Amino acid sequence: MRKHLVDLTVKEVTWLNEKYALMKLTDTHPLPEMLPGQFVEVRVDHSSQTMLRRPISIHFVDREHNELWLLVAVVGDGTHTITHTPVGGVLNCMLSLGNGFTLPTNEGQRWLLTGGGVGVAPLLYLGAEMKKRGIEPTFLLGARKASDLLQLQEFEKYGRVLVTTEDGSAGEKGFVTNHSVLDEHFDHISCCGPLPMMKAVARYAAQHHIACEVSLENQMACGIGACLCCVEKTQEGNVCVCKEGPVFDINRLTWQN
Ligand code: FES
């Protein structure tokens, strides 16, 4: 897929809690094609500390309003600067990068989309594209506490939403891999979140012979396969997550070795 370098205008910034901002970006031209699971490299302007672009996953693409939604966790100077770009300001974005999640081809299949923390971001667009194809997925979303659960009302538009919290303040107490919905049968799991969570989900999927894809969040810089800082060991050798991923079938990874 062709890559684009575009100046997108900040249309709206909504703080979902003290750490996470939902940014809606737009352009005067129709936004380029984007797949669920792909990401954007955002240039950090007006910062003396951050030279490199920041990789941010595509949260949603609203074609009707020509908006790209990014769910940004503020973890340092780069993301702080990006999220404090004023409405009307411009963010230079390289997109659409990486591969994407597999989409269902068979309407009878049951798909589980699970994520934790800001890792839930790409699952909204994925769920929306699934619903377009006639499949309502089950979202299983985990967080430390209720106030860290993000965008639940948006997820509810596209499927069944179940949650876990580590402190029990919402949904079932514990981790996503403890949730009772896992007693049900699923044909496919798509997962994104902290590494220990993804490994636990991959273990569960392998044990139950369920097809499973995970979206890796390795450290990235260039986003286009040039700097080699995002390398992941796979069954076929080392690959750049930014180019070959970020989405991988768990059977390609060496986690189960
Ligand atoms: Fe540079 Fe992947 S981020 S090679």
Side-chain angles (χ1 to χ4, degrees):
M1 188 186 287
R2 221 181 111 211
K3 294 177 183 45
H4 301 261
L5 205 52
V6 284
D7 282 331
L8 300 183
T9 304
V10 177
K11 188 172 171 185
E12 205 177 299
V13 182
T14 308
W15 285 91
L16 304 177
N17 61 28
E18 69 285 349
K19 193 174 164 200
Y20 297 105
L22 170 66
M23 303 189 76
K24 296 185 179 178
L25 313 180
T26 191
D27 196 9
T28 47
H29 303 289
L31 291 168
E33 188 188 357
M34 289 176 252
L35 302 173
Q38 289 192 302
F39 64 98
V40 179
E41 283 265 13
V42 183
R43 193 175 70 202
V44 184
D45 295 330
H46 315 298
S47 167
S48 54
Q49 296 174 40
T50 311
M51 302 299 148
L52 299 170
R53 289 173 179 268
R54 285 288 170 266
I56 299 175
S57 40
I58 292 166
H59 181 40
F60 189 70
V61 182
D62 180 340
R63 290 281 166 200
E64 193 188 335
H65 300 101
N66 200 38
E67 291 171 354
L68 163 63
W69 296 10
L70 303 177
L71 193 54
V72 188
V74 178
V75 291
D77 173 72
T79 44
H80 179 272
T81 304
I82 289 169
T83 51
H84 286 77
T85 307
V87 170
V90 161
L91 287 175
N92 182 270
C93 298
M94 196 195 307
L95 72 172
S96 311
L97 302 178
N99 60 358
F101 284 105
T102 300
L103 283 161
T105 48
N106 178 345
E107 280 193 18
Q109 289 185 332
R110 299 197 69 216
W111 284 53
L112 180 70
L113 311 190
T114 187
V118 77
V120 303
L123 303 181
L124 183 66
Y125 187 33
L126 177 59
E129 288 297 307
M130 280 187 188
K131 191 162 180 188
K132 266 194 209 163
R133 288 164 172 75
I135 290 192
E136 284 210 17
T138 296
F139 296 102
L140 176 56
L141 310 173
R144 288 220 170 93
K145 54 186 190 304
S147 58
D148 290 337
L149 289 163
L150 305 170
Q151 295 283 79
L152 295 186
Q153 285 178 341
E154 289 296 327
F155 283 106
E156 279 163 6
K157 292 178 184 170
Y158 307 110
R160 172 171 64 150
V161 177
L162 304 165
V163 301
T164 61
T165 48
E166 289 173 35
D167 68 357
S169 52
E172 292 189 14
K173 184 173 180 177
F175 300 105
V176 292
T177 40
N178 309 128
H179 198 282
S180 55
V181 75
L182 296 182
D183 294 338
E184 297 179 14
H185 166 76
F186 290 98
D187 297 295
H188 194 288
I189 300 176
S190 311
C191 177
C192 188
L195 192 58
M197 181 209 141
M198 289 198 289
K199 286 190 170 178
V201 170
R203 236 182 348 260
Y204 168 85
Q207 278 162 5
H208 293 81
H209 309 290
I210 303 171
C212 179
E213 286 181 332
V214 292
S215 178
L216 301 187
E217 295 187 336
N218 295 21
Q219 191 117 35
M220 287 189 199
C222 71
I224 52 170
C227 70
L228 303 184
C229 81
C230 63
V231 163
E232 177 75 21
K233 196 171 162 197
T234 69
Q235 303 288 1
E236 313 102 58
N238 289 345
V239 301
C240 289
V241 168
C242 66
K243 263 190 100 174
E244 300 246 353
V247 178
F248 289 87
D249 185 309
I250 56 167
N251 293 321
R252 280 189 72 193
L253 301 172
T254 55
W255 293 356
Q256 322 290 330
N257 293 1

